[in-house]
Amino acid sequence: MQDVLFIGQTPQYFFDNHVIEMFNFVTRTMHTPKPYGSNALIKKDKPWEDVLYFRTNTWNVYWDDQENLFKCWYEDLGFDFDAFAGRKSDTHGLEAPGFHAFCDNRYLYAESKDGIHWEKPELDYREMDGRKTNICLGNERDGKAHSATFLLDEQEEDASKRFKVIFWNERKGYPKAINKVGYSPDGRTWTLCDEPVFFGGNSEIGTGDVIIVNRNRETGEYTLDTRISHMCEYPGGRSNPDVSGWGLPIYPNEPTRNAKRRIYHAYSKDFLHWTVPQQILTPDPLEDNLDEEYYGMARFRMGDLWVAILNKFQRTANTVSASLVYSRDGLNWNHAGQRQDILSPNIDDPNAWDRYMAEVCCQPVFLDDEIRLYYAGSNFHHDWWMFGIQEGLDHPEAELGPKSGESALGLATLRPDGFISLDTGLRDGILITRPVVSEGRELKVNVKCGPKGYFQVALLDRQGNEIPGHEKSACDTFTGDSTK
């Protein structure tokens, strides 16, 4: 018999074997969310919207219980493809030179009463062609806003800082983009902090172009999962032949030249001063596909676990999908469901709005009757439409650029607490937990019985014997479907 687990009233999930002492004829199943319809929820439909960029870390959705509204922020690249296409570029580097010089990056705001039907209110922040827009961040005064991550901070005591944002900021007079912070009482009007973001006390250290924030409800610290700007570079010159593609060659057996995207983590007490980002999750050279990279990670709390949606970039196919990872300390992560995807692009459907990319950059919205997983989808590939024309790629996206497709916001849903379940088959399955101590006097379970299926519970003492009055035979057998 193992040591007692003090679980209080914290829900226990079966991502791992932490609470399991014994089982027989039980299997673990990971469930994929069900798409809500076949159409996107938010897409380009306003005259001032140019190149909407729903990608990993370019949008966020939150439920604001003070206004009873779903709120969304999303990026418009403002990309002048025709001007950029005529510029010659050395495409060996990860960041194609000059790309951001041809962008007018800004963020737009949308809101919804039901999270399905969205409105784009006209704000007073920025006009385009003489009319108000729903642009809320990024203008001549404040500079460009790119790769922004928004946070609805429910622990914030200052009402004017209830909403927070960190983003890449590029302004006239500054030699390069820096990370900046902004605050808002409602998510519509923003005030930027004068100071830049500091990592390890240095404002010159910046993040990569994926930045995803959260707040640890136990410690109050802010968490940041990101990429660092030089992670796909390595020391020394090239000793082997190379191609003119966007990205460096990878040496899988040399850690300093295994130049793949991966996840870094930092934390902060004030949202402005952060620790130096440390690497926490790296593609496995054997378990992951040869060209698979970790694009970004959106973490959230479930019971005493950290769970995260891990976005994965398939470099050769130029597509993005998402899987599930979990952690007990927020730093050491494991893959759930044998690395199977929880979101996949609809590659086989030529008319799908999410044909080539499906990815997530914010925590799900947990409602009483379902988990809502908002996700970004694209019917063009990761970068062929951006840089393909400079590389001379033989693909329609290279010639058409942004006109080859669009990215948009969609929704998929799950049963409450429905990411992972333990299931039985034809034989009776049995599971015994480790000894647990709880503050409550009720056991609530999330159970779905199939045809002729049933569910029973018994309480055992420390020797494994059924406690009189709480035997399986005394249990009211359950045969239905209930989350509680």
Side-chain angles (χ1 to χ4, degrees):
M1 189 72 73
Q2 298 189 39
D3 293 338
V4 173
L5 295 178
F6 292 87
I7 64 173
Q9 297 190 45
T10 303
Q12 300 298 303
Y13 301 99
F14 296 109
F15 285 83
D16 58 11
N17 301 329
H18 179 68
V19 76
I20 298 175
E21 173 140 326
M22 183 275 279
F23 68 91
N24 198 11
F25 297 113
V26 172
T27 188
R28 180 180 282 116
T29 305
M30 191 177 82
H31 301 274
T32 55
K34 180 181 179 181
Y36 181 88
S38 58
N39 298 319
L41 303 182
I42 301 179
K43 58 184 179 181
K44 177 181 175 180
D45 59 9
K46 296 294 184 182
W48 56 82
E49 293 178 326
D50 184 20
V51 182
L52 299 194
Y53 197 49
F54 283 94
R55 290 295 322 283
T56 299
N57 180 223
T58 59
W59 58 276
N60 287 105
V61 173
Y62 287 99
W63 165 252
D64 183 356
D65 58 6
Q66 290 191 9
E67 292 194 55
N68 290 325
L69 286 173
F70 290 87
K71 297 183 175 182
C72 177
W73 304 263
Y74 59 99
E75 183 170 355
D76 187 337
L77 284 179
F79 179 33
D80 189 344
F81 174 74
D82 293 336
F84 177 69
R87 180 187 178 93
K88 293 184 178 180
S89 172
D90 171 13
T91 57
H92 288 293
L94 178 64
E95 188 65 35
F99 171 74
H100 287 292
F102 293 89
C103 292
D104 177 18
N105 309 81
R106 61 258 190 174
Y107 268 80
L108 296 81
Y109 169 82
E111 60 190 27
S112 170
K113 293 180 180 180
D114 61 6
I116 306 298
H117 306 90
W118 292 82
E119 298 178 355
K120 300 175 180 179
E122 295 182 356
L123 307 175
D124 294 323
Y125 179 73
R126 179 174 175 179
E127 293 186 357
M128 299 281 283
D129 297 324
R131 63 179 300 176
K132 291 184 178 181
T133 70
N134 64 325
I135 298 173
C136 67
L137 195 62
N139 63 10
E140 183 71 19
R141 181 195 67 205
D142 295 333
K144 299 178 183 180
H146 176 50
S147 292
T149 177
F150 294 80
L151 176 68
L152 170 52
D153 189 355
E154 297 176 342
Q155 295 177 260
E156 177 59 65
E157 297 180 355
D158 184 345
S160 68
K161 296 183 177 181
R162 188 163 172 261
F163 291 87
K164 297 177 171 66
V165 63
I166 293 180
F167 62 99
W168 271 16
N169 182 225
E170 185 178 341
R171 288 185 283 170
K172 292 181 179 179
Y174 285 75
K176 65 177 183 177
I178 57 174
N179 291 112
K180 292 284 287 187
V181 161
Y183 305 104
S184 172
D186 55 14
R188 301 179 187 91
T189 59
W190 293 87
T191 301
L192 301 187
C193 180
D194 292 333
E195 290 185 276
V197 175
F198 294 86
F199 290 96
N202 188 348
S203 64
E204 295 299 312
I205 298 177
T207 65
D209 60 351
V210 170
I211 319 159
I212 302 176
V213 295
N214 207 308
R215 191 168 188 180
N216 189 325
R217 63 178 179 235
E218 285 82 18
T219 66
E221 292 176 335
Y222 298 98
T223 67
L224 183 148
D225 295 296
T226 185
R227 307 197 302 231
I228 61 171
S229 55
H230 301 296
M231 68 180 173
C232 290
E233 299 176 9
Y234 47 71
R238 297 180 180 84
S239 58
N240 295 326
D242 192 14
V243 296
S244 59
W246 185 56
L248 291 171
I250 293 169
Y251 297 73
N253 298 313
E254 299 182 41
T256 61
R257 295 202 292 177
N258 190 7
K260 288 187 174 184
R261 294 170 176 85
R262 48 202 182 274
I263 310 299
Y264 287 76
H265 176 75
Y267 63 89
S268 169
K269 295 183 182 298
D270 63 1
F271 207 70
L272 186 64
H273 300 84
W274 297 81
T275 58
V276 176
Q278 301 293 319
Q279 182 172 293
I280 61 169
L281 197 56
T282 306
D284 188 290
L286 296 179
E287 295 297 326
D288 292 300
N289 207 336
L290 190 64
D291 64 334
E292 197 160 65
E293 306 182 12
Y294 292 170
Y295 206 89
M297 186 176 81
R299 71 171 67 197
F300 50 94
R301 275 301 221 179
M302 288 187 66
D304 53 6
L305 281 172
W306 284 104
V307 181
I309 309 295
L310 177 67
N311 301 292
K312 302 178 297 184
F313 174 45
Q314 296 84 35
R315 188 195 280 197
T316 305
N318 219 235
T319 57
V320 178
S321 61
S323 61
L324 206 62
V325 293
Y326 65 91
S327 171
R328 291 204 165 267
D329 61 8
L331 297 175
N332 299 283
W333 292 84
N334 299 286
H335 293 263
Q338 291 76 51
R339 282 179 157 83
Q340 74 181 79
D341 284 344
I342 192 170
L343 283 173
S344 301
N346 288 312
I347 293 177
D348 295 330
D349 183 355
N351 299 314
W353 66 274
D354 55 353
R355 187 180 184 188
Y356 296 119
M357 293 191 283
E359 47 199 322
V360 174
C361 67
C362 66
Q363 64 183 23
V365 177
F366 295 91
L367 303 178
D368 290 339
D369 59 346
E370 65 184 5
I371 298 174
R372 288 192 174 184
L373 196 65
Y374 289 93
Y375 72 99
S378 302
N379 58 8
F380 47 52
H381 291 80
H382 175 272
D383 59 72
W384 294 351
W385 66 279
M386 284 183 174
F387 311 124
I389 193 169
Q390 291 187 342
E391 296 181 38
L393 292 183
D394 184 14
H395 194 275
E397 291 180 17
E399 293 294 331
L400 293 174
K403 296 178 182 178
S404 62
E406 63 179 349
S407 64
L409 182 74
L411 172 63
T413 61
L414 273 170
R415 176 190 186 92
D417 299 327
F419 287 104
I420 298 285
S421 69
L422 297 184
D423 300 324
T424 64
L426 183 63
R427 295 186 173 97
D428 282 354
I430 184 170
L431 178 141
I432 298 178
T433 73
R434 294 170 59 184
V436 297
V437 173
S438 172
E439 300 169 356
R441 297 189 61 82
E442 292 182 325
L443 172 67
K444 293 186 178 180
V445 291
N446 188 337
V447 180
K448 181 178 181 180
C449 297
K452 299 182 180 180
Y454 60 91
F455 179 79
Q456 293 177 321
V457 175
L459 296 184
L460 311 181
D461 62 23
R462 296 207 53 166
Q463 285 70 46
N465 302 311
E466 291 186 335
I467 297 173
H470 299 280
E471 304 94 342
K472 184 173 65 172
S473 61
C475 171
D476 291 333
T477 300
F478 180 76
T479 59
D481 179 353
S482 174
T483 60
K484 295 182 181 179

